Amino acid sequence: MVDKPVPFGIASKWNNVSVFCESYESLMLRGSVTQENADYSPLLLVMFPVTIVTSLIAIFNFILKPFGQVTFVSQMLAGIVLGPAFLGKNKEFRQRLYSPQSVMVLNVFETIGLIFSIFLISVRVDMSVIKKSGKLSVIIGLGTFIFPFVITIAVARVIRDNMKLDSNFYIALPIIASIESSTSFHSILALLTDLKLLNSELGRLALSSSLISCLSSWSILSIGAVLKDAAEAGVKSAWLYMHLSLVVTVIIIVFVFRPAMFWMIRQTPEGKPLKESYVLAINIMVLGIALFGEVTGHHSFLGPVILGMVTPLTPPLGPHLAAKIEFFVWALFMPCYIANVGRLVNLYSTEYNSFLAVECIILLSSMIKSMAIMIPSLYYKMPFTDALSLSLLLNCRGIFDVQFYTRGYRLKVVNDQSFGIMVVHATLASAVITPLVSAIYDSSRRYVAYRRRTIQHSGRLTELRLLTCILEPEDVTTIINLLEASNSLRSPLAVYAMNLEDLAKHTVPLVQTHRLDRQTSSKSTKADQMVNAFRTYQQKGRGHVLVQCFTAIAPYNTMHDEICLMAFEKSTSLVIVPFQSTNSPFTKITIKNVLKMAPCSVGVLFDRGQFMDSRSIVTCRLMINVCLIFVGGPDDREALAYAARMAENNNIMLTILRLVAMSDTSTDMVEEANDFNMLNAFKTSAIQSTNVAFIEKTVTEGSETATLLNFMGTDFDLTLVGRRHEPDSPVLIGLSEWSEIEELGVIGDLLVSPDYKGTTSVLVIQQQASVVEEMIGSPKYLSKNNDMKNNSLV
């Protein structure tokens, strides 16, 4: 007990535990800075390392980002620089940064930060990943732990018995072998997010494999730790009591906390964030269950991990909850952890024999793990580069792996030399591996089609497959009316409707399948509205229309992977995506990537509400006026092929507006021949149609084109236009200089600009851009040859 307040604090020894007593006044910032010893304010001593660490991370991120490095490398470098190997060599700097009071508070902040970071990552874990895992994921997941675990522990014992090592290594080497054999799912998730591979096929396999490996390693290592603690405690019933407390923990989480979260969801209106009181209640749950685990003999992380895994993914919980507290955790608490890790890394204390022994175990574990990945991957016919990339990814380490190192160090089963070697190796391995994976693995390669998937090159009587994307609730009616306008009685229509849900970064991607034969929940969400609307649409189709509904949950920066993968798997001919405002992240990121990587043609729909008014063909089936602006080129021919299918619907009045340059300077005679042949074929097939009209206008420059389109803007409900044209075409001269939205092309940008006087909705079409060039030459060559073979629409 301290009778008199002391500003710096005193330390006393009791049962080998240092107890620091700090006066309340010394914790107050205002009171401390007015004192002579203001430098010793614990609050200032915590803010100092946090500021230094955050600044160093930002500097390293800036330097290493051009080299494709992930955040983990910058974090560890910042910690190591602060350690005794670099800045920490200066005694005065070390005393200011790592005083006993500062370390004490840093430890508290570090623990809280790790508890919340583990919880946040676990919230994003979808346990259905295990259910969906194939044989390969299970084989890799189990093999990457069992084989390294058995072999490296045996080798560690041999090294320990035959090398002249410090006595501390007698226990450390087998522990190092067991830690290096494990794979952290949380670290792999963070790594894949930084590399933008979450939605890729390789990313999915890495996630499922690492989750299985992580669960198996946790199970075995936890049982071993419990048995060791029970044996050391000398209490026979300790093992039983610890497991009973674990059962109580699970019961509290599943039957108390989880129902409370569902109640919070029901009390929160759709589209609204969680109340602050709910967020506070969940934070109390996390800290309370962590404290309960620590008191009952379990690790404080166990409860938050289980709580995070059972937290509902339904908005506004799941990643939406994580977004509320994530920034504060990574901005304040985690820098304390990084500073503490750096304090323990002393490269100058490492002996040669110690380095050789530890590095041998780490490299052996990595080698065996790579073999356990590549052998089954190649057996299941995975390409060699993909198998190599997967083995590299699963050998990467992250900040959560370092936490295991730190835990071992503080339990005194890993000595300081081993700890420093493991941290430095993890940092260097990630620094080398991540650029290699980025170089050898191309996530877009799996979308490349080996044949044409376009409307133009599909048979007129074959099934037309369309993938439609729903971003906002009002998109549902617009898309259905567009589909109804595209419905030809001569060929069936297959529609794959995908509801797109954006989630924060570090999110596990998820695709949910909706069954149309099941009634949706009473709470009307955007997905429920989509399912109900498309169920009605399919019923009205009377067997002529087939609909499947999905929900894709992913960040915008990887949303295109879900769209392209679905289009590839369903062999669609056209993907229709809604156009948002130019400042929308969906427009900037997703649409641009879809246009670049889609395995089929793409239609970007800008809706001005013409399909949602009282003239909707779904409700009244009145005549809809559609215009096709034809300048020439593959994209315009694709738009013409789509318009030709629309023309078979008697409720569509189609007008073909062909713009012809007065002085045509084009030298591509093949393209001109393709345009001419396709237009003539369509005119011949529609010669007796009463709902098709042809208009040909001659223009001299782009200004005349703009004037003509403005004059006709109010005559049509929907306008179809190709996205790409020859940049030097006289029809477009001058317009490209004013074009702002690249995703819509020159004419599309003109039709959606605020200066355009028309009220028409716009569908900008791009013909399939991704084709395997190695097999059949350049895309231009392929386009020309296919067009010569398929220039007839009849």
Side-chain angles (χ1 to χ4, degrees):
M1 178 176 179
V2 180
D3 297 324
K4 164 171 161 178
V6 286
F8 185 81
I10 61 174
S12 63
K13 291 287 185 179
W14 180 68
N15 288 344
N16 296 324
V17 177
S18 297
V19 180
F20 292 92
C21 301
E22 198 75 43
S23 67
Y24 175 75
E25 289 80 3
S26 68
L27 295 175
M28 302 303 293
L29 179 60
R30 183 177 179 182
S32 297
V33 297
T34 60
Q35 300 173 358
E36 294 180 0
N37 56 350
D39 289 343
Y40 298 114
S41 166
L43 183 57
L44 290 177
L45 289 175
V46 170
M47 293 172 62
F48 180 57
V50 168
T51 303
I52 295 295
V53 169
T54 305
S55 302
L56 286 175
I57 292 174
I59 292 172
F60 282 120
N61 268 331
F62 177 78
I63 296 173
L64 298 177
K65 187 175 181 180
F67 300 97
Q69 296 298 332
V70 293
T71 308
F72 167 70
V73 176
S74 300
Q75 292 171 335
M76 288 298 100
L77 287 178
I80 293 172
V81 166
L82 288 179
F86 294 95
L87 297 179
K89 291 179 65 177
N90 185 288
K91 184 178 180 181
E92 183 179 352
F93 178 85
R94 185 171 65 251
Q95 288 178 347
R96 285 178 175 270
L97 190 66
Y98 296 120
S99 67
Q101 290 76 16
S102 177
V103 171
M104 178 180 64
V105 182
L106 282 176
N107 287 337
V108 175
F109 277 38
E110 170 193 326
T111 303
I112 296 176
L114 287 172
I115 288 172
F116 275 104
S117 61
I118 287 286
F119 168 72
L120 293 177
I121 294 292
S122 300
V123 164
R124 302 180 179 103
V125 176
D126 177 24
M127 296 306 293
S128 64
V129 170
I130 297 180
K131 297 180 181 179
K132 298 177 182 178
S133 300
K135 292 182 180 179
L136 182 58
S137 298
V138 176
I139 293 172
I140 292 176
L142 295 177
T144 50
F145 173 69
I146 294 175
F147 291 114
F149 181 74
V150 173
I151 297 175
T152 52
I153 286 183
V155 173
R157 292 180 180 274
V158 174
I159 293 176
R160 182 187 64 187
D161 296 337
N162 292 274
M163 289 186 67
K164 295 181 179 180
L165 298 173
D166 191 278
S167 59
N168 293 329
F169 279 91
Y170 187 83
I171 299 176
L173 286 182
I175 298 298
I176 294 170
S178 62
I179 293 176
E180 289 296 330
S181 301
S182 62
T183 302
S184 171
F185 170 82
H186 302 83
S187 297
I188 298 300
L189 174 59
L191 173 67
L192 292 173
T193 303
D194 284 342
L195 294 177
K196 298 181 180 180
L197 293 176
L198 269 180
N199 299 58
S200 66
E201 187 176 4
L202 184 72
R204 292 176 184 276
L205 182 58
L207 277 178
S208 56
S209 301
S210 63
L211 181 56
I212 294 171
S213 177
C214 187
L215 291 176
S216 60
S217 62
W218 275 9
S219 301
I220 295 176
L221 296 178
S222 297
I223 292 173
V226 168
L227 292 175
K228 179 178 178 294
D229 292 341
E232 291 179 353
V235 180
K236 296 181 179 179
S237 58
W239 188 83
L240 177 62
Y241 289 151
M242 293 180 70
H243 277 73
L244 286 177
S245 65
L246 176 59
V247 173
V248 173
T249 300
V250 174
I251 291 175
I252 293 174
I253 292 174
V254 174
F255 295 101
V256 179
F257 290 169
R258 182 175 167 85
M261 291 179 179
F262 277 110
W263 179 83
M264 294 176 187
I265 294 175
R266 292 192 297 269
Q267 298 301 312
T268 304
E270 184 183 2
K272 299 294 183 180
L274 274 178
K275 293 181 180 179
E276 295 300 326
S277 58
Y278 295 165
V279 177
L280 178 61
I282 294 175
N283 288 339
I284 294 175
M285 292 179 190
V286 175
L287 293 175
I289 205 66
L291 176 62
F292 181 77
E294 195 71 22
V295 170
T296 55
H298 291 287
H299 199 293
S300 58
F301 298 160
L302 181 61
V305 167
I306 300 174
L307 180 61
M309 287 185 174
V310 303
T311 298
L313 290 174
T314 308
L317 284 181
H320 291 269
L321 168 67
K324 283 182 170 289
I325 56 180
E326 181 177 44
F327 178 79
F328 186 75
V329 170
W330 285 96
L332 177 61
F333 291 129
M334 294 309 291
C336 298
Y337 170 63
I338 295 168
N340 251 345
V341 170
R343 176 176 63 90
L344 304 176
V345 179
N346 187 0
L347 301 179
Y348 295 106
S349 67
T350 305
E351 298 177 357
Y352 177 75
N353 284 346
S354 303
F355 172 79
L356 197 62
V358 175
E359 195 66 25
C360 178
I361 291 175
I362 296 175
L363 292 176
L364 179 63
S365 176
S366 300
M367 187 183 305
I368 297 172
K369 193 177 295 185
S370 298
M371 293 177 63
I373 295 168
M374 294 195 65
I375 292 175
S377 298
L378 295 175
Y379 177 79
Y380 277 88
K381 308 301 183 182
M382 180 183 291
F384 177 79
T385 54
D386 291 3
L388 178 61
S389 300
L390 181 62
S391 68
L392 292 173
L393 284 173
L394 293 183
N395 272 301
C396 266
R397 295 295 178 179
I399 199 166
F400 298 100
D401 295 288
V402 176
Q403 186 274 325
F404 282 107
Y405 304 161
T406 309
R407 180 74 172 177
Y409 178 85
R410 289 175 179 167
L411 290 175
K412 298 182 179 180
V413 294
V414 174
N415 58 14
D416 55 346
Q417 295 185 52
S418 303
F419 178 80
I421 297 170
M422 294 165 73
V423 171
V424 172
H425 180 94
T427 305
L428 294 179
S430 295
V432 173
I433 288 175
T434 49
L436 281 177
V437 173
S438 300
I440 65 178
Y441 181 74
D442 181 10
S443 61
S444 64
R445 178 165 43 83
R446 64 195 176 114
Y447 306 134
V448 176
Y450 291 89
R451 61 182 180 85
R452 279 298 196 182
R453 291 182 177 177
T454 69
I455 299 177
Q456 178 189 350
H457 301 104
S458 301
R460 288 292 299 278
L461 301 180
T462 60
E463 180 184 62
L464 177 62
R465 297 189 172 195
L466 304 178
L467 173 61
T468 63
C469 301
I470 309 296
L471 196 62
E472 301 293 343
E474 53 267 22
D475 294 336
V476 175
T477 304
T478 302
I479 291 294
I480 288 180
N481 286 326
L482 178 62
L483 294 174
E484 186 68 17
S486 312
N487 195 355
S488 168
L489 297 178
R490 296 179 58 185
S491 61
L493 183 65
V495 179
Y496 304 96
M498 178 176 283
N499 171 41
L500 305 179
E501 296 284 354
D502 174 47
L503 290 182
K505 59 185 289 189
H506 299 292
T507 301
V508 178
L510 177 66
V511 175
Q512 299 173 339
T513 303
H514 303 286
R515 293 184 56 177
L516 298 185
D517 57 347
R518 290 184 178 180
Q519 293 297 321
T520 56
S521 61
S522 57
K523 185 176 180 179
S524 181
T525 64
K526 185 178 71 169
D528 294 335
Q529 296 174 16
M530 177 190 72
V531 172
N532 291 332
F534 278 98
R535 180 191 296 116
T536 303
Y537 173 61
Q538 180 176 259
Q539 291 172 351
K540 290 184 177 181
R542 297 180 179 179
H544 189 71
V545 177
L546 175 65
V547 177
Q548 292 185 25
C549 294
F550 307 89
T551 291
I553 305 175
Y556 279 141
N557 59 357
T558 58
M559 184 73 76
H560 64 278
D561 279 311
E562 299 296 344
I563 297 173
C564 294
L565 180 60
M566 183 65 67
F568 184 82
E569 291 179 346
K570 302 301 181 181
S571 300
T572 60
S573 298
L574 180 67
V575 174
I576 300 175
V577 292
F579 178 83
Q580 301 294 302
S581 64
T582 54
N583 295 325
S584 167
F586 180 81
T587 300
K588 289 183 177 180
I589 302 174
T590 306
I591 292 182
K592 181 177 295 185
N593 288 330
V594 169
L595 288 169
K596 180 181 178 181
M597 301 181 184
C600 61
S601 299
V602 180
V604 181
L605 177 62
F606 176 81
D607 179 42
R608 283 196 171 94
Q610 291 298 90
F611 282 157
M612 300 180 66
D613 60 14
S614 58
R615 296 180 300 165
S616 170
I617 58 178
V618 170
T619 56
C620 302
R621 303 194 64 83
L622 299 179
M623 188 66 70
I624 297 297
N625 293 314
V626 178
C627 176
L628 167 66
I629 301 175
F630 192 94
V631 177
D635 291 356
D636 281 16
R637 292 194 292 272
E638 184 72 2
L640 177 59
Y642 192 33
R645 284 186 175 262
M646 285 187 169
E648 296 180 2
N649 191 321
N650 294 327
N651 297 288
I652 299 298
M653 180 62 195
L654 175 63
T655 301
I656 308 293
L657 173 61
R658 186 185 185 191
L659 301 179
V660 181
M662 181 170 292
S663 56
D664 191 359
T665 59
S666 175
T667 58
D668 196 336
M669 304 302 295
V670 175
E671 288 293 324
E672 286 191 0
N674 291 333
D675 295 339
F676 178 80
N677 292 337
M678 189 166 182
L679 281 170
N680 279 349
F682 179 65
K683 289 180 180 180
T684 302
S685 64
I687 193 170
Q688 296 182 346
S689 301
T690 58
N691 61 333
V692 177
F694 292 90
I695 301 176
E696 188 171 295
K697 294 289 184 179
T698 303
V699 294
T700 57
E701 58 182 3
S703 59
E704 290 188 18
T705 301
T707 302
L708 175 63
L709 296 182
N710 264 312
F711 178 76
M712 303 178 62
T714 58
D715 297 338
F716 302 101
D717 304 308
L718 176 66
T719 300
L720 304 179
V721 61
R723 175 175 174 261
R724 300 166 299 184
H725 302 93
E726 289 188 17
D728 55 350
S729 172
V731 175
L732 306 177
I733 287 180
L735 293 180
S736 57
E737 299 176 2
W738 299 94
S739 180
E740 298 179 353
I741 309 175
E742 180 185 356
E743 293 77 21
L744 298 179
V746 176
I747 297 181
D749 178 76
L750 172 65
L751 296 177
V752 305
S753 67
D755 298 330
Y756 183 67
K757 299 178 182 179
T759 57
T760 178
S761 297
V762 182
L763 180 62
V764 179
I765 294 181
Q766 171 187 282
Q767 195 171 69
Q768 178 188 9
S770 60
V771 182
V772 175
E773 300 180 17
E774 295 85 357
M775 296 184 63
I776 36 185
S778 68
K780 186 174 182 180
Y781 174 84
L782 177 64
S783 176
K784 291 178 182 179
N785 282 273
N786 278 331
D787 287 336
M788 293 296 289
K789 296 176 182 178
N790 300 278
N791 55 31
S792 176
L793 289 176
V794 182

